[in-house]
Amino acid sequence: MHENHRKRTRQRFLQAGLQSFPAHNVLEMLLFYAIPRQDTNEIAHQLIRHFGTLSAVLDAPFEELCKVQGIGENSATLIIFVAQLAKRYLAEQVQEKISFANKQALHRFAVSLFTGMKSEAAFLLCFDNTTQLLHAGQISLGTKHAVSLDNRTLLEAAFRHNATKVILAHNHPNGVAAPSRSDVARTEGAVKVFNSVQIQLLDHLIVAQGHCFSMAAHPKYMRIFHDDAPSIMLQIAADE
């Protein structure tokens, strides 16, 4: 009985895609591949009841998923894998169209990099001479409140992709999209490190709650990135 149901569900998906699938049916079909000989419909319903939405299920931590009856290590791993696969797919699709000149698209892309992340992480966006994005990769993963960076990691990531310009991006999963004092100090240090090898740090983006803060575009921090920034900007930074 289960096999016939699974066959019909697969055929429905192949013919019409997921558009007509309610959230629990999406999860039900996904769990086919982790739970081979069991009715996954009720487990899917329990996931939705526990987390509320499909996206919340996909963003859930491994330990929380395993608390749902019927979800074991294999099922939880599959759910997390699919969520991260979708994120990587979308990032690669968008990446080809990203340039530093298109700030709105760049900021949306930066926000997408941190979707679902519960801990602080740092990404380095590598650009060529025309400020076209070459690569965006995670270079560090921290805790809920901090992420560490070292100069060697920054330089290796930039050299690996032949970048002449870079953007640093990190998130505040439990905070606001604004730099802390340590973020400012880290940015100043990164500028010096990259300048020493003739690579320009264009910006440091802070992402939180779906928002993206550009340090290079803010008068208080503009002087970090531009030696020729107007003196009034230096005065603002000093005063505040």
Side-chain angles (χ1 to χ4, degrees):
M1 180 179 67
H2 293 321
E3 185 55 37
N4 288 336
H5 172 67
R6 291 184 177 207
K7 184 177 180 180
R8 290 193 300 271
T9 302
R10 284 192 293 266
Q11 289 175 339
R12 177 184 167 196
F13 164 70
L14 291 172
Q15 290 171 359
L18 288 179
Q19 289 85 348
S20 64
F21 277 47
H24 71 275
N25 282 155
V26 174
L27 292 170
E28 177 191 15
M29 182 173 174
L30 176 61
L31 293 173
F32 287 173
Y33 303 97
I35 307 174
R37 287 177 292 276
Q38 187 177 344
D39 182 4
T40 59
N41 184 275
E42 178 54 31
I43 300 173
H45 276 290
Q46 289 190 53
L47 284 168
I48 296 297
R49 284 195 292 268
H50 185 87
F51 294 104
T53 64
L54 175 60
S55 60
V57 174
L58 295 176
D59 286 340
F62 179 86
E63 295 77 12
E64 287 298 314
L65 289 168
C66 290
K67 292 178 182 179
V68 177
Q69 186 175 358
I71 296 295
E73 291 186 359
N74 287 343
S75 300
T77 300
L78 179 62
I79 291 171
I80 292 172
F81 174 81
V82 167
Q84 294 192 14
L85 176 64
K87 177 182 173 182
R88 182 163 179 175
Y89 169 79
L90 290 173
E92 289 189 2
Q93 289 284 306
V94 173
Q95 180 174 314
E96 298 178 359
K97 305 172 184 177
I98 297 297
S99 72
F100 184 67
N102 189 342
K103 297 298 195 301
Q104 288 186 341
L106 175 63
H107 291 182
R108 286 196 299 269
F109 176 67
V111 170
S112 74
L113 292 174
F114 299 98
T115 300
M117 283 196 172
K118 307 300 181 183
S119 300
E120 284 202 21
F123 281 76
L124 191 70
L125 283 62
C126 299
F127 296 80
D128 62 18
N129 275 325
T130 67
T131 67
Q132 190 69 32
L133 184 63
L134 297 169
H135 178 78
Q138 183 176 311
I139 53 174
S140 184
L141 180 64
T143 66
K144 291 182 177 180
H145 305 289
V147 63
S148 61
L149 289 175
D150 64 85
N151 295 341
R152 181 176 179 178
T153 300
L154 289 172
L155 293 177
E156 285 180 348
F159 289 150
R160 190 180 306 122
H161 300 285
N162 298 314
T164 57
K165 304 175 189 297
V166 294
I167 289 178
L168 188 61
H170 88 280
N171 63 328
H172 291 168
N174 299 308
V176 296
S180 64
R181 289 185 178 180
S182 62
D183 292 336
V184 174
R186 177 184 299 165
T187 305
E188 292 172 334
V191 167
K192 293 178 182 178
V193 168
F194 284 120
N195 281 348
S196 70
V197 291
Q198 288 75 55
I199 295 175
Q200 183 183 4
L201 180 64
L202 297 171
D203 204 345
H204 185 171
L205 304 176
I206 316 294
V207 173
Q209 308 298 325
H211 300 288
C212 182
F213 181 97
S214 166
M215 289 184 64
H218 194 283
K220 184 175 180 179
Y221 309 108
M222 191 180 295
R223 48 94 188 173
I224 297 175
F225 304 90
H226 306 287
D227 292 336
D228 58 348
S231 59
I232 188 173
M233 301 305 179
L234 293 171
Q235 185 63 43
I236 291 173
D239 291 345
E240 296 186 12

